[in-house]
Amino acid sequence: MGSRSHSALPPNWQVRVSQKYDREYYFNTVTRESRWDPPTLSPQLGAKHILAKHRGSRRPSSWREENITRSESEAHDIITGYLNDIEQCDNAEDKDKMFGDIAEKFSDCSSAKRGGDLGRFERGAMQKPFEDAVLALKPGEISKPIKTDSGVHIILRTH
């Protein structure tokens, strides 16, 4: 099956022709995803986060704790404490380092092993309250506590 590239496509995407349907589709050569609709060229976002889950979280367990029993209010207080500690830092570099250190030790997300770094992601990839918070920040800024179905977060926008 032949393929051709379009310069307007994001990296790793190709236009191919379906033999079965005799129509073009889009194929990602890295993820192996295929789709009829073209992939977006929307700019990717990037963020680190620290997550405190609570018993009402959609999955109240983590790498740190098999059965999380804290309340949402307690999770909010924990995250607020981390934010207060980070805000005591004198400069952006120290804030970034402290954010990563706290995430690595205390975040209830598996991204903890990467200092809370979620890498780059496109719009629509995260829960809406999380994405809205990332979009409201400039790179280097840290959010107030944000509630999602996963728990309570603070977010540091990286891209």
Side-chain angles (χ1 to χ4, degrees):
M1 179 191 296
S3 69
R4 62 179 204 259
S5 295
H6 286 199
S7 60
L9 292 174
N12 306 315
W13 284 93
Q14 297 176 339
V15 175
R16 293 188 174 180
V17 177
S18 166
Q19 290 179 340
K20 183 175 181 179
Y21 297 104
D22 192 30
R23 80 180 249 211
E24 290 184 339
Y25 69 97
Y26 299 88
F27 179 76
N28 186 304
T29 59
V30 174
T31 65
R32 316 291 296 164
E33 175 187 356
S34 60
R35 60 196 306 179
W36 295 116
D37 297 322
T40 62
L41 281 171
S42 64
Q44 290 189 325
L45 305 170
K48 293 180 180 181
H49 78 132
I50 301 169
L51 170 64
K53 292 185 175 186
H54 52 82
R55 63 179 165 253
S57 296
R58 68 178 174 181
R59 208 182 111 246
S61 65
S62 76
W63 67 275
R64 297 181 57 239
E65 201 173 343
E66 188 175 335
N67 185 27
I68 295 172
T69 59
R70 75 176 69 93
S71 70
E72 183 178 319
S73 176
E74 289 169 319
H76 189 277
D77 290 347
I78 289 167
I79 287 295
T80 299
Y82 296 152
L83 181 59
N84 290 340
D85 290 346
I86 293 164
E87 287 177 341
Q88 298 303 311
C89 293
D90 292 329
N91 59 58
E93 187 177 314
D94 290 346
K95 285 181 182 184
D96 183 61
K97 181 174 179 354
M98 181 177 273
F99 194 102
D101 289 347
I102 291 171
E104 197 171 287
K105 292 178 185 129
F106 303 111
S107 181
D108 286 322
C109 180
S110 61
S111 68
K113 62 183 166 255
R114 296 182 304 279
D117 194 347
L118 297 168
R120 292 191 181 207
F121 51 90
E122 293 194 18
R123 287 181 172 202
M126 300 292 175
Q127 294 175 50
K128 184 153 176 41
F130 189 97
E131 180 179 302
D132 290 347
V134 172
L135 289 169
L137 299 169
K138 293 179 184 148
E141 291 182 336
I142 299 173
S143 71
K144 300 183 300 257
I146 303 296
K147 236 173 52 169
T148 70
D149 291 343
S150 298
V152 183
H153 315 248
I154 49 175
I155 303 165
L156 169 62
R157 183 164 179 182
T158 57
H159 293 94

